[in-house]
Structure formats: structure tokens, C-alpha cells
Amino acid sequence: MNIPGTSAAVATVLYGYPMAQKGQTLRAMKAGLYSLVTADTFSVLILIAFAFPLANAALNPDPVQKANLLVLALVLCGGLLGDSLAKGLIVSNVELLFSMIRLDPIVRRARLNIFGLGRMESIDPVAFLIGAFAFAVVLIQMQR
């Protein structure tokens, strides 16, 4: 159905599915396997090198660091979506809006209570995006 099961499978769906449609299934699976092993090895090496400095910085963030991280995340989301900057900004803002639905950690009151959703602890942003992507794919399949 061309729907990723996890966030890590999005690239496989975007590139592997068209290759499988062209009859290059074995090549697509090999490329996915080699990419996965390479990325996993590289990420473990990066984690080993930067785990302690990142942990020290993450344990004591100040409001300026949090704001900088938020701006960096929004810029990266907008930049990674390619040619359509407007679509990237819309997706980033919707993601930001849904990630703010939660209980306030200090006073335990609902923050950004939309239709009673503020009673939850939080909406997982990755799960929300995978669900939105799957919903769009299902609508496209229904249209065909």
C-alpha cells in the first residue's frame, strides 16, 4: 500500500516502491539493506563520539537554548521539504501546534486545549506525521 510502518521506513517507501514498480525489487532491497547498515554504523560512531557532551548540554538547557533548538528544527523542516517553502512552513507549523497539546508540567493544567485533546499527556509528533502521510496515501489510492 506504499505506507511506511515507522519513521525510518519513509525513505524506503519513497525510493523503494517506485523501483519495485519498475521490476527492480531485488536491487531496491539490496540498496535499502546497504543504506540501513551504513547509516546504523555511522550513527553509532557519532553517538559514541558525542554522547557525553550532548548529555551534559541536554541536562541543563536554558530558555535561549530551547528557543534556538525550536528555530533550528523549524528551519530544517522547511529546508528539507524542497522546492515548496510554503508547504514546508505549513507542515512545520501544524507539527508545532500539535506538539504543544499537553498538560503543563508545573501546574498540571491542560495547555492548548483543542476539542478536549489537552487532557492527554501529548501527541507524539512522529506518529502524527506517519499517520498523516498514511492518510494521504490512502486518499490517493482511493482516488485511483
Side-chain angles (χ1 to χ4, degrees):
M1 290 190 63
N2 197 21
I3 299 173
T6 64
S7 60
V10 172
T12 304
V13 167
L14 291 177
Y15 297 111
Y17 186 74
M19 288 177 73
Q21 295 275 332
K22 294 177 186 175
Q24 301 173 338
T25 308
L26 184 62
R27 183 175 177 204
M29 290 181 69
K30 284 183 180 179
L33 176 66
Y34 295 142
S35 301
L36 176 70
V37 170
T38 304
D40 190 34
T41 304
F42 181 71
S43 65
V44 167
L45 292 174
I46 294 295
L47 177 65
I48 290 170
F50 294 108
F52 288 116
L54 286 175
N56 289 334
L59 289 176
N60 300 316
D62 60 5
V64 175
Q65 288 176 337
K66 288 181 183 179
N68 287 337
L69 185 62
L70 181 64
V71 169
L72 174 68
L74 291 175
V75 168
L76 285 175
C77 285
L80 290 175
L81 284 174
D83 296 336
S84 179
L85 183 61
K87 287 181 184 177
L89 291 175
I90 289 170
V91 168
S92 299
N93 287 327
V94 168
E95 172 75 18
L96 182 63
L97 177 72
F98 276 101
S99 68
M100 290 191 309
I101 298 173
R102 58 181 298 187
L103 294 176
D104 190 289
I106 297 174
V107 295
R108 303 299 291 172
R109 275 190 289 179
R111 182 171 30 173
L112 198 63
N113 191 2
I114 301 173
F115 306 115
L117 292 175
R119 304 272 182 246
M120 299 183 214
E121 275 298 315
S122 179
I123 294 175
D124 184 23
V126 175
F128 174 74
L129 283 179
I130 289 175
F133 183 75
F135 183 69
V137 170
V138 168
L139 287 179
I140 291 169
Q141 295 290 341
M142 286 174 52
Q143 184 181 15
R144 289 184 190 162

